[in-house]
Amino acid sequence: MLCRWAFCRSLAETTPPSPVAIPTDSNVEMTWQVFGGASGDLLIVALKQRCHNDHVEMGKDTVAEQFRLHLHRGIGYLAVDLNIKDIKDFIKITAADLSAP
């Protein structure tokens, strides 16, 4: 769930993520089905739409790289947000994002 929030937080930004090298030395591995859950189809459509909006080619490797960049950027945003102190703060952010025009 936190990874989905991070991913969506990055997608909500108006600018594309910076093409930075992302360390791949983690022991954590997650399938798309685990990441996306019941929202997996919607999340992949949102990612592809974002790639289209950012004029990024739609090749499988490029879309996968954009996913990693958005996830990494979103995790960074959530990690440094001083307004998030507990799960209640996540819920407030989510509710505020849903009510925004």
Side-chain angles (χ1 to χ4, degrees):
M1 180 61 74
L2 290 174
C3 287
R4 283 183 220 141
W5 279 350
F7 176 68
C8 290
R9 174 65 180 88
S10 178
L11 287 180
E13 285 296 309
T14 58
T15 59
S18 298
V20 297
I22 299 171
T24 57
D25 59 353
S26 173
N27 292 332
V28 177
E29 188 172 320
M30 186 182 326
T31 66
W32 180 261
Q33 289 77 17
V34 170
F35 169 78
S39 303
D41 291 343
L42 180 62
L43 293 171
I44 193 66
V45 168
L47 175 60
K48 288 181 177 181
Q49 181 63 51
R50 181 58 191 261
C51 288
H52 172 76
N53 293 352
D54 290 342
H55 307 287
V56 173
E57 91 176 52
M58 296 293 246
K60 183 179 175 181
D61 292 340
T62 306
V63 171
E65 177 65 16
Q66 287 297 301
F67 168 72
R68 286 188 294 276
L69 290 171
H70 277 288
L71 180 59
H72 185 75
R73 176 171 79 170
I75 290 169
Y77 285 162
L78 294 180
V80 300
D81 189 334
L82 299 177
N83 296 315
I84 300 173
K85 303 211 182 335
D86 57 29
I87 193 66
K88 291 177 191 173
D89 294 329
F90 274 118
I91 293 168
K92 288 178 193 172
I93 290 169
T94 303
D97 288 345
L98 291 175
S99 65

